[in-house]
Amino acid sequence: MKKISALLILSISARLRVPALPILALIGFTFAGVGLAACSSDDGTSANTSAQHQTLNVVATTVQITALTKQVAGDKIQLTGIIPPGADAHEFEPTSGDLQAIERADLILRHGIGLDDWIDDTLKAGDHAEIVTVTEGVALRTAEEDGKTVDDPHVWHDPANDKIMVDNVAAALDKLDSTNKSTYDANAFAYKAQLDDTREQVQAIINTIPPANRKLVTNHDALSYFANAFGLQVVGAVIPSVSTEAEPSAQDTAALLDVIRREQVKAIFAESSINPKLATTLANDAGVRIIDDLYGDSLGEPGSGADTVDGMLLANARKIADALK
Ligand SMILES: [Zn+2]
């Protein structure tokens, strides 16, 4: 198409005995003018020609993906996060408002690994949204539950995984909104550098804990990636599951109490998004500290300093170090 137009212009310029370049420039200018007019039109008739100038409607399922996407996109997109800060991601159910946002979306950024399976039920045949699983390419850790091996969804507790997720978000935005590609790529690059810095800071904080004390007992099994990344050992969980939907048996709780005493564990870490009642009882029985505001499945409220993934990782590291030192 472009080749034919160029040939046509060259042949016209040859017949008129004028140089081709000014004609090309003039035609280019005219089309640019038409393009601008189309973009500024509000009557909806120019939807096709101005598609690439429209703000992308993006839905992110989890609070972590919402936070990472904010870092990459800044104010270039219309972003709706579905799971709010403080909610239990394992038992989340979307509201009717969420369903409307999903219906309007051009792009849905989902977590996968069993944390947002509800998205499959909410999508309708006519929905046009592109769906991207942001955890694609992350090496998953597994856990043994009731004799079965299950994938652990809590990948965001390792900054290396967050960097993969940032790249996946940037690639998805680049593809659907190439006009802002340079912004997305630059923001992704900068945030990955910040995550590298966060990794070093978290490691320095964890290194202040005496090696014999680097043992974690959490409310549910959410910190395996964190422990693996920073040299801690997860010795047990009050709910012995990577999901909060499981119920511990009396034997589970008795066995954990034995482990806490035998391993001389200093504290139990319950999460901000989960009722700490059972963990508190267990901590009292074992005579150890309870920390009930660790970020396992959630991030902090806006302005808390833990409303970003890097801020959350640092907040957790400080709480863990304070309790285990
Ligand atoms: Zn969880």
Side-chain angles (χ1 to χ4, degrees), residues 90 154 220 222 242 244 297:
H90 298 284
H154 306 90
H220 80 301
V242 292
T244 56
D297 290 348

Side-chain angles (χ1 to χ4, degrees), residues 27-255:
I27 289 172
F29 187 75
T30 310
F31 276 124
V34 170
L36 282 173
C39 287
S40 58
S41 161
D42 287 329
D43 61 12
T45 54
S46 58
N48 288 332
T49 43
S50 64
Q52 68 181 63
H53 296 269
Q54 283 172 355
T55 306
L56 209 59
N57 250 318
V58 180
V59 160
T61 58
T62 66
V63 70
Q64 294 84 12
I65 295 177
T66 304
L68 294 175
T69 304
K70 268 183 205 162
Q71 298 289 343
V72 176
D75 60 1
K76 298 290 185 194
I77 61 170
Q78 183 70 42
L79 177 63
T80 306
I82 301 290
I83 303 179
D88 181 344
H90 298 284
E91 305 205 43
F92 181 80
E93 298 212 4
T95 65
S96 60
D98 296 334
L99 299 184
Q100 283 167 18
I102 289 165
E103 218 164 280
R104 284 193 304 270
D106 303 309
L107 171 66
I108 296 172
L109 298 170
R110 73 175 299 184
H111 186 84
I113 327 171
L115 266 199
D116 48 15
D117 288 346
W118 43 264
I119 199 92
D120 299 318
D121 302 328
T122 61
L123 293 173
K124 296 195 192 77
D127 289 348
H128 65 289
E130 175 117 355
I131 303 167
V132 171
T133 302
V134 174
T135 53
E136 196 77 53
V138 170
L140 298 184
R141 295 178 64 76
T142 55
E144 295 295 323
E145 279 180 23
D146 303 327
K148 281 185 293 184
T149 304
V150 296
D151 289 328
D152 182 345
H154 306 90
V155 299
W156 56 85
H157 288 294
D158 183 341
N161 296 342
D162 294 316
K163 287 169 69 180
I164 294 172
M165 293 167 78
V166 164
D167 277 337
N168 287 337
V169 169
L173 294 174
D174 285 351
K175 187 180 161 197
L176 292 190
D177 184 20
S178 56
T179 312
N180 291 313
K181 182 179 188 302
S182 58
T183 305
Y184 300 140
D185 291 353
N187 288 349
F189 186 83
Y191 195 59
K192 285 192 292 176
Q194 188 166 336
L195 285 165
D196 283 336
D197 187 52
T198 302
R199 167 183 277 278
E200 282 178 26
Q201 287 187 62
V202 168
Q203 190 65 68
I205 294 167
I206 297 301
N207 288 350
T208 64
I209 306 168
N213 291 2
R214 293 178 195 170
K215 294 169 186 167
L216 286 178
V217 171
T218 50
N219 204 343
H220 80 301
D221 196 2
L223 289 203
S224 165
Y225 291 91
F226 186 88
N228 181 62
F230 297 107
L232 293 143
Q233 187 193 353
V234 177
V235 298
V238 178
I239 303 168
S241 169
V242 292
S243 171
T244 56
E245 291 170 302
E247 291 272 349
S249 67
Q251 281 118 311
D252 290 333
T253 307

